[in-house]
């Protein structure tokens, strides 16, 4: 158990809909990262928050947004969903803002039908 | 443009023998490299890392070698055990990109009894 909790584990939704993925980082970790893994692909970095503020942005679509709350949990919002958004979405956390030795949650598998 | 490449999607190795997983990169600014291991239905877990000031780092059965001139790193697992069967991701980061991790597509390692 990495200490990072992601909910829900599975999500099936229709095209055009909006979903929210939730992440609770390890106790004491200030940084939260979101990654997308499509079928047979590597992990694509989406966005990073550090202590409530956006730290870095990767290949995140405009239809996607995220935030980190005062209690340090984070939410990733995906809207106007398309079939191609079906993927595993991972959250990771680390103590510092340096992206090394991050601890990953088990992921949320999103299926858009 | 893939900056981190793992050209072998899968690798099959006999139990007890050496497993060698390879990773190539194109960005000469990368100065920190990590290997993560991923089991099905779980998030990646950190395995071992190496800084560009070193050419070798060892941790038990796992050794990572870095060849900066060739922009190549490899992970050696000796001896290979059944529990090593997993997908292995190589990742790289650079100070000038705020140490955001760039990931390879992964290599599936299968340890045969």
């Amino acid at each position: 158990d990495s200490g990072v909790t992601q909910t829900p584990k599975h999500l099936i939704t229709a095209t055009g809909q909006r979903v929210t993925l939730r992440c609770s980082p390890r106790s004491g970790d200030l940084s939260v990262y979101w990654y997308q893994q499509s079928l047979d692909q590597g992990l694509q970095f989406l966005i990073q928050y550090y202590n409530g503020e956006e730290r870095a942005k990767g290949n995140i679509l405009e239809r996607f947004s995220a935030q980190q709350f005062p209690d340090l949990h984070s939410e990733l919002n995906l809207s106007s969903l398309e079939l191609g958004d079906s993927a595993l979405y991972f959250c990771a956390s680390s103590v510092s803002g340096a992206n090394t030795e991050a601890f990953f949650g088990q992921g949320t598998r999103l299926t858009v039908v | 443009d893939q900056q981190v490449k793992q050209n072998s999607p899968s690798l099959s190795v006999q139990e007890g023998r050496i497993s060698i997983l390879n990773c190539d990169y194109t960005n000469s600014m990368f100065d920190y490299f990590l290997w993560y291991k991923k089991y099905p239905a779980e998030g990646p877990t950190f395995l071992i890392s190496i800084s560009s000031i070193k050419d070798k780092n060892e941790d038990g059965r796992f050794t990572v070698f870095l060849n900066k001139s060739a922009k190549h790193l490899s992970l050696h697992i000796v001896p290979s055990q059944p529990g090593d069967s997993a997908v292995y991701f190589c990742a790289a980061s650079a100070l000038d990109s705020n140490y955001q991790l760039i990931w390879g597509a992964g290599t599936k390692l299968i340890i045969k009894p």
Side-chain angles (χ1 to χ4, degrees):
Chain A
D1 182 7
S2 67
V4 178
T5 304
Q6 286 187 250
T7 56
K9 286 191 169 49
H10 302 275
L11 198 49
I12 301 175
T13 190
T15 54
Q17 295 298 304
R18 172 189 166 95
V19 297
T20 297
L21 312 184
R22 184 187 167 99
C23 170
S24 294
R26 287 190 324 157
S27 176
D29 284 358
L30 298 179
S31 256
V32 169
Y33 314 84
W34 286 98
Y35 289 89
Q36 180 192 55
Q37 185 185 19
S38 300
L39 190 63
D40 294 333
Q41 300 288 313
L43 283 82
Q44 297 293 323
F45 168 68
L46 296 178
I47 197 163
Q48 177 199 358
Y49 281 83
Y50 179 77
N51 203 19
E53 295 195 2
E54 183 182 302
R55 172 63 69 92
K57 244 179 180 177
N59 298 321
I60 187 166
L61 300 171
E62 286 192 13
R63 300 183 285 110
F64 296 0
S65 65
Q67 54 184 327
Q68 185 179 29
F69 295 87
D71 66 353
L72 300 178
H73 91 271
S74 178
E75 291 181 355
L76 178 67
N77 300 298
L78 315 175
S79 61
S80 302
L81 284 167
E82 302 174 0
L83 295 177
D85 297 327
S86 296
L88 263 171
Y89 291 85
F90 286 106
C91 167
S93 73
S94 66
V95 172
S96 70
N99 196 353
T100 58
E101 299 178 33
F103 294 82
F104 282 77
Q106 291 193 328
T108 293
R109 180 172 293 282
L110 174 66
T111 303
V112 182
V113 297
Chain B
D1 176 32
Q2 268 191 299
Q3 296 188 60
V4 177
K5 296 179 185 179
Q6 294 179 256
N7 290 318
S8 298
S10 66
L11 176 68
S12 189
V13 173
Q14 202 76 32
E15 182 180 354
R17 306 292 288 269
I18 182 171
S19 294
I20 301 176
L21 297 108
N22 294 304
C23 178
D24 296 295
Y25 61 95
T26 57
N27 187 347
S28 58
M29 298 303 293
F30 286 146
D31 57 8
Y32 197 77
F33 304 88
L34 304 92
W35 285 93
Y36 277 77
K37 175 179 176 178
K38 185 182 181 301
Y39 292 119
E42 295 184 13
T45 55
F46 170 74
L47 198 55
I48 192 168
S49 63
I50 188 167
S51 162
S52 59
I53 62 174
K54 292 185 169 184
D55 54 19
K56 177 183 173 180
N57 189 25
E58 197 170 349
D59 184 1
R61 296 186 298 114
F62 303 91
T63 303
V64 56
F65 295 92
L66 175 61
N67 182 334
K68 288 188 291 291
S69 60
K71 294 192 181 70
H72 176 84
L73 66 156
S74 60
L75 174 68
H76 293 211
I77 305 173
V78 182
S80 300
Q81 298 175 354
D84 296 330
S85 295
V87 177
Y88 289 79
F89 289 98
C90 165
S93 66
L95 174 61
D96 66 350
S97 59
N98 199 27
Y99 283 113
Q100 293 311 310
L101 286 176
I102 308 298
W103 296 77
T107 296
K108 183 175 184 178
L109 176 64
I110 300 163
I111 305 301
K112 300 179 294 186

